[in-house]
Amino acid sequence: MSDIIQLLPDHVANQIAAGEVVQRPASVVKELLENAIDAGATTIKLIIKDAGKTLIQVIDDGKGMSTTDARLSFERHATSKIRTADDLFQLHTKGFRGEALASIAAIAHVELKTKQEQDDVGNTIVIEGSNVVSQEVVVTPKGTSIAVKNLFFNIPARRNFLKSNTVELRHIIDEFHRVALAHPNLSFAMYNNGSETFNLPISNYRQRIVNIFGTKTNEKLVPVDEDTEVLKISGFVGKPEYAKKTRGEQYFFVNDRFIKSAYLNHAIASAFDGLLKNGTHPSYFLNLKVDPQTIDINIHPTKTEIKFDDEHTLYALLRSAVKHSLGQFNIAPVLDFERDSNLDTPYSYNNTQTSTPTIEVDRSFNPFQEEKQRGKQTTAFKPTPNNWDSLYVGLESKGTKTQQDFSEVHFESEESTGSLFSEDKQIDNIQTTYQLHNKYIVSTIKSGMLVIDQHRAHQRILYEDFLKNMTIKEAVSQQLLFPLQLHFSVQDIEIINQLKEDLEHTGFIFSSVNKESVEIIGVPVSVPESEVSIILEQLISDVEHEVPDTHFSATDLLAKSMAKSLAIKTGQSLQKDEQEHLVNRLFACKEPNVSPTNRTTFVTMSVDELDKKFI
Ligand code: ADP
Ligand code: MG
């Protein structure tokens, strides 16, 4: 048989390599910014159009390239940064693999302009899909400009695979933040579709963080500083009370390189042990300086993972440095968070309920169109629909026995003790509900018993309300006595802007949306003023997690998020009528069986099943 192995042509090899290096526009941003830093630039500009799908351009004032280097830079494994394999363990540059420019040029239209300081003129090269289209002399300032246009133009599958502009832009901003945070000693600017999104002058580290995440961040930061023989740690952690529901603001830099490390993240999380509300994550901006010989960066093409020689020591040092800072700044002792309530500790609620607001759910009921036509009060509950009524039908005939079995389960409700074995009362009051452990609402139905998860059920009710309001674009607002001023980071404001219209359809009224703050003068009737900032924060965090691609899903996400924030919580005790209203409203929903996030809202247990348990 003849030989069948062939060497791949360069442009094919480059395209394959590009798949590893360039996953999305943000990957190009990272590579270009890093090249600018390696070139010794002090001012770096990033220009983006259409979330990088049309244009990604980085302009720097670094050392530029000679005519030959300019051409060579697009060859695979062409690098000025290392010469031998040993150099891999002495790295002081971001790049070293010499494949970024080759990869990018293989899958986009690239235009390079570059000039070295001592030269009068520079060079411009145009490359499209690895083919050099032109190379000319050009008048250009000192430094380098690389414009990457029409990314993935020759790989339609990859181009189609890209997410919405919102998503891709968020990835780009993330990369920009990472690089800018690692280098407060350089000035950065970012322009998106012609307008300036970030302007970050040279500053100290704290100021850089504040310039990115908003002025309010300043008061949240606790400095961390530890200098040992093995490593130097500097930076900040966020005060525990500002911990977020997302892991968004967690930055580790090792020798000025952004690194992902679940292990070291754990070290920090454990330093916060006992200080955080359940489900929240601390912010941190930490720089580790280690001897380059003790790490290996070359374990992943995107260089965001790293191997440390002595991970255990690092873990211990990091943990104690953070702990020390939290203690030193008196963070630890003054905190006394209410622990998250759950069923494991059902009897502790008596003590923890003091701060729980009384249920406001019922007033939240936004009138459905039909009800208005029928002239109902806004607070009225919908009559139970057929299917729900039918659950009760026939209870009279069979109910006595059912109820007796049922009553033997211990419920924490006066009603249950009062009505124990009182047959008449049960027949009259067939919709009796009991609240179990301030978490479940138990009721009787024709075939046995019904157990409803109060938090999930209420989420379902609110979700359908909000969705309806947003769809019919008609919501009832309550005017605030004083405008509410809330501060956010620039990118959070971006998210609020995207959702503003939908938020307005739920009843929010914004008097202004500025660069880092919003002013609110009206809120949905169901939303207590004190909850507004929590709701918006939750919403932003949800959007970051589950980025909506279409307008429909943005509306849906907003309804889900607000429902989650406003739903009565597990641990909240409900009055009798509140329990009944909740049950009735749940079964008036279109999809009462599941919460907006598809979790079961109620279960039933038939008398037969119960009987089996008593055999
Ligand atoms: P690497 O960064 O791993 O060396 P790249 O493909 O990113 O590989 O870049 C190839 C080479 O091109 C670099 O080693 C550097 O010499 C040169 N280069 C790239 N970008 C710039 C820039 N902005 N300014 C000066 N030189 C650059
Ligand atoms: Mg590079």
Side-chain angles (χ1 to χ4, degrees):
M1 211 173 135
S2 57
D3 300 333
I4 52 171
I5 297 180
Q6 290 187 10
L7 280 176
L8 287 173
D10 262 0
H11 69 276
V12 180
N14 281 341
Q15 268 203 15
I16 293 170
E20 281 192 331
V21 180
V22 185
Q23 277 112 31
R24 52 180 8 132
S27 334
V28 175
V29 168
K30 172 177 188 281
E31 294 298 336
L32 296 185
L33 290 176
E34 291 190 346
N35 278 347
I37 292 166
D38 285 346
T42 51
T43 305
I44 301 172
K45 279 189 193 136
L46 170 66
I47 300 166
I48 297 294
K49 289 216 173 94
D50 298 325
K53 293 173 186 172
T54 311
L55 174 73
I56 301 160
Q57 184 173 14
V58 171
I59 305 172
D60 69 52
D61 60 355
K63 65 181 179 215
M65 285 179 260
S66 69
T67 310
T68 317
D69 282 355
R71 175 65 197 84
L72 256 184
S73 67
F74 291 103
E75 294 296 325
R76 206 142 57 95
H77 305 311
T79 181
S80 55
K81 300 170 193 174
I82 59 169
R83 302 239 175 272
T84 69
D86 285 347
D87 293 344
L88 276 176
F89 298 94
Q90 294 294 344
L91 283 173
H92 295 282
T93 53
K94 309 263 173 208
F96 55 86
R97 297 166 63 108
E99 59 190 358
L101 288 189
S103 299
I104 294 166
I107 50 164
H109 296 165
V110 178
E111 189 182 321
L112 163 80
K113 281 185 190 159
T114 187
K115 186 181 93 72
Q116 294 182 302
E117 184 153 35
Q118 68 278 13
D119 296 339
D120 293 331
V121 286
N123 287 276
T124 174
I125 297 180
V126 177
I127 296 195
E128 297 182 353
S130 297
N131 299 315
V132 180
V133 176
S134 69
Q135 175 159 11
E136 288 163 13
V137 170
V138 71
V139 177
T140 181
K142 170 208 164 195
T144 303
S145 153
I146 301 187
V148 177
K149 298 174 187 165
N150 308 324
L151 190 66
F152 297 129
F153 79 99
N154 51 356
I155 318 179
R158 293 295 294 276
R159 200 171 165 88
N160 295 337
F161 199 65
L162 291 177
K163 294 276 170 58
S164 68
N165 283 5
T166 316
V167 179
E168 295 302 344
L169 185 63
R170 188 151 315 130
H171 284 289
I172 289 175
I173 292 176
D174 280 350
E175 286 301 348
F176 179 79
H177 284 169
R178 291 168 181 179
V179 175
L181 280 170
H183 297 277
N185 56 333
L186 307 179
S187 102
F188 292 89
M190 175 175 165
Y191 303 84
N192 179 36
N193 291 335
S195 58
E196 185 182 89
T197 324
F198 290 99
N199 187 343
L200 310 173
I202 292 172
S203 62
N204 63 24
Y205 193 42
R206 185 189 271 268
Q207 193 59 45
R208 174 59 50 96
I209 296 172
V210 168
N211 284 341
I212 292 178
F213 296 104
T215 18
K216 276 271 156 183
T217 319
N218 198 17
E219 68 201 49
K220 305 180 186 175
L221 301 175
V222 182
V224 180
D225 258 304
E226 204 74 59
D227 208 346
T228 73
E229 270 182 20
V230 204
L231 89 163
K232 194 172 162 344
I233 306 171
S234 64
F236 299 91
V237 292
K239 289 181 187 163
E241 64 263 42
Y242 295 108
K244 294 203 159 195
K245 292 233 163 88
T246 48
R247 296 176 184 278
E249 290 171 11
Q250 299 191 328
Y251 296 90
F252 252 128
F253 301 94
V254 177
N255 296 354
D256 299 334
R257 193 188 293 276
F258 174 82
I259 291 299
K260 293 179 187 155
S261 165
Y263 185 68
L264 295 185
N265 175 62
H266 191 270
I268 297 179
S270 77
F272 274 85
D273 249 0
L275 298 178
L276 297 174
K277 280 191 213 169
N278 272 359
T280 62
H281 306 280
S283 307
Y284 54 81
F285 310 87
L286 292 173
N287 301 301
L288 274 58
K289 290 269 179 340
V290 296
D291 181 347
Q293 298 212 23
T294 64
I295 52 174
D296 185 356
I297 301 157
N298 196 24
I299 55 170
H300 195 272
T302 60
K303 297 166 284 190
T304 48
E305 281 162 46
I306 202 166
K307 227 170 81 204
F308 297 97
D309 273 0
D310 187 357
E311 240 180 7
H312 294 300
T313 310
L314 275 183
Y315 183 101
L317 285 173
L318 198 57
R319 182 169 184 273
S320 85
V322 174
K323 247 182 153 32
H324 181 224
S325 285
L326 291 173
Q328 201 180 14
F329 289 87
N330 256 338
I331 309 295
V334 296
L335 284 167
D336 184 20
F337 278 115
E338 185 188 307
R339 304 306 265 141
D340 197 32
S341 29
N342 60 48
L343 259 188
D344 298 337
T345 53
Y347 296 105
S348 63
Y349 292 140
N350 294 345
N351 307 328
T352 57
Q353 264 176 30
T354 42
S355 65
T356 319
T358 50
I359 175 168
E360 307 228 79
V361 290
D362 302 344
R363 270 176 279 138
S364 81
F365 186 68
N366 284 306
F368 284 67
Q369 195 76 22
E370 318 88 69
E371 282 173 355
K372 267 208 206 141
Q373 283 158 4
R374 280 185 264 136
K376 289 202 171 185
Q377 294 291 309
T378 43
T379 46
F381 285 100
K382 281 195 105 177
T384 49
N386 308 337
N387 59 341
W388 174 233
D389 286 339
S390 66
L391 288 171
Y392 283 118
V393 171
L395 188 64
E396 294 88 340
S397 54
K398 231 177 133 189
T400 312
K401 180 172 179 286
T402 312
Q403 199 66 18
Q404 273 180 359
D405 289 346
F406 182 40
S407 302
E408 283 176 35
V409 185
H410 174 67
F411 293 110
E412 292 180 325
S413 153
E414 313 115 52
E415 201 79 18
S416 65
T417 29
S419 65
L420 208 65
F421 306 121
S422 152
E423 293 172 13
D424 289 344
K425 188 169 182 219
Q426 283 156 24
I427 293 167
D428 289 347
N429 184 15
I430 48 172
Q431 294 205 10
T432 294
T433 54
Y434 307 86
Q435 197 182 15
L436 181 64
H437 288 176
N438 288 344
K439 180 173 191 187
Y440 297 109
I441 295 169
V442 184
S443 186
T444 49
I445 49 168
K446 185 178 163 188
S447 61
M449 71 188 263
L450 169 76
V451 183
I452 297 173
D453 181 312
Q454 65 186 42
H455 177 60
R456 292 183 190 174
H458 196 215
Q459 275 193 49
R460 160 57 59 185
I461 295 163
L462 293 176
Y463 168 70
E464 292 198 5
D465 275 359
F466 285 129
L467 215 51
K468 181 142 191 160
N469 281 337
M470 284 186 263
T471 322
I472 61 176
K473 301 190 180 357
E474 191 175 299
V476 190
S477 276
Q478 97 201 16
Q479 295 273 323
L480 296 177
L481 219 47
F482 302 103
L484 190 62
Q485 182 103 25
L486 297 174
H487 296 269
F488 295 98
S489 66
V490 179
Q491 70 269 33
D492 288 355
I493 292 282
E494 174 119 356
I495 294 175
I496 290 178
N497 261 323
Q498 282 158 20
L499 294 167
K500 189 162 162 267
E501 207 178 311
D502 276 328
L503 281 165
E504 283 166 351
H505 293 147
T506 67
F508 281 99
I509 306 172
F510 294 89
S511 52
S512 65
V513 178
N514 305 316
K515 207 170 170 213
E516 288 191 11
S517 66
V518 295
E519 196 176 77
I520 296 172
I521 51 168
V523 296
V525 275
S526 52
V527 174
E529 189 177 337
S530 57
E531 301 269 309
V532 173
S533 76
I534 299 169
I535 288 169
L536 291 181
E537 238 211 60
Q538 177 72 53
L539 177 66
I540 289 164
S541 139
D542 287 347
V543 172
E544 278 170 347
H545 259 119
E546 191 190 316
V547 189
D549 268 359
T550 60
H551 181 72
F552 168 75
S553 57
T555 310
D556 189 66
L557 190 74
L558 174 58
K560 271 185 195 153
S561 177
M562 289 195 28
K564 185 164 72 189
S565 298
L566 285 169
I568 47 168
K569 305 281 182 290
T570 297
Q572 188 163 336
S573 111
L574 299 178
Q575 299 297 314
K576 204 87 199 146
D577 56 336
E578 292 167 338
Q579 297 171 25
E580 280 168 18
H581 286 156
L582 192 81
V583 176
N584 287 339
R585 288 184 62 191
L586 174 66
F587 288 97
C589 283
K590 285 198 183 115
E591 276 186 70
N593 304 34
V594 287
S595 77
T597 47
N598 249 336
R599 321 268 289 272
T600 306
T601 48
F602 68 88
V603 291
T604 55
M605 191 182 267
S606 69
V607 181
D608 290 346
E609 283 170 84
L610 276 172
D611 286 345
K612 281 191 198 124
K613 294 197 184 293
F614 288 96
I615 291 170

